Amino acid sequence: MKHQITMKISQITPCGMNCSICRGYLREKNKCLGCREIDVNKPISRAKCKIKNCIELKKNNLKYCSKCKLFPCNRLKNIDKRYRTKYNMSMIENLENINKFGIRKFIKNEKIRWTCTYCGSIICVHDGICSNCGKKKL
Ligand SMILES: [Zn+2]
């Protein structure tokens, strides 16, 4: 199997994205290690991410945007809208679930949500198909 289901707390970004279902993380070449990892080869879009480098997060030492007094800010609303429309996934909803149920429960649910029912590998949020067998998410 190409991708074992190993979802870690460290793979959940401040904006509520799960790096382990991202195309950049799942690909073989030029693999991105995730938003919270320090990686010199990181795609420039991630390194320059405005949310990751947000002053409010840094200033208040916040782990997630949901803890911010500006939540949900326009920046987050924009990316959330893009993901809801294009990929049927909402970071704001993710963040609210993390708040409600805690990060561990959230990860558990993410595993269920993004595991391919055919082969048990990880479904890519951007492609909507399994990163291993290529079958569509049910
Ligand atoms: Zn599969």
Side-chain angles (χ1 to χ4, degrees), residues 12-130:
I12 309 300
T13 69
C15 67
M17 172 72 186
N18 180 353
C19 287
S20 48
I21 60 170
C22 173
R23 190 190 280 146
Y25 180 82
L26 290 168
R27 70 178 166 226
E28 307 275 289
K29 271 189 200 167
N30 230 335
K31 189 176 161 76
C32 173
L33 296 177
C35 177
R36 290 191 194 270
E37 300 294 325
I38 296 159
D39 178 8
V40 284
N41 300 316
K42 192 169 285 192
I44 199 76
S45 58
R46 306 300 177 282
K48 275 183 158 171
C49 172
K50 284 192 173 122
I51 292 181
K52 185 181 157 58
N53 297 307
C54 174
I55 188 82
E56 285 298 320
L57 284 174
K58 283 208 174 118
K59 197 173 70 188
N60 302 302
N61 199 18
L62 303 173
K63 225 172 165 193
Y64 304 107
C65 290
S66 48
K67 307 281 180 203
C68 181
K69 60 178 189 293
L70 302 172
F71 175 77
C73 66
N74 282 334
R75 205 173 271 159
L76 185 63
K77 275 188 205 158
N78 285 336
I79 189 169
D80 181 73
K81 190 179 172 197
R82 187 151 61 88
Y83 267 79
R84 270 190 289 114
T85 323
K86 281 181 84 173
Y87 308 120
N88 201 21
M89 194 275 277
S90 161
M91 359 297 253
I92 290 177
E93 189 186 277
N94 282 355
L95 288 167
E96 284 168 350
N97 283 334
I98 292 168
N99 269 353
K100 243 191 272 175
F101 306 113
I103 187 71
R104 277 165 211 285
K105 183 90 208 259
F106 174 75
I107 297 265
K108 252 187 191 173
N109 289 338
E110 282 289 285
K111 269 189 203 170
I112 296 164
R113 182 176 178 191
W114 300 105
T115 296
C116 171
T117 44
Y118 298 99
C119 77
S121 201
I122 296 177
I123 290 156
C124 170
V125 65
H126 297 117
D127 299 333
I129 57 168
C130 173

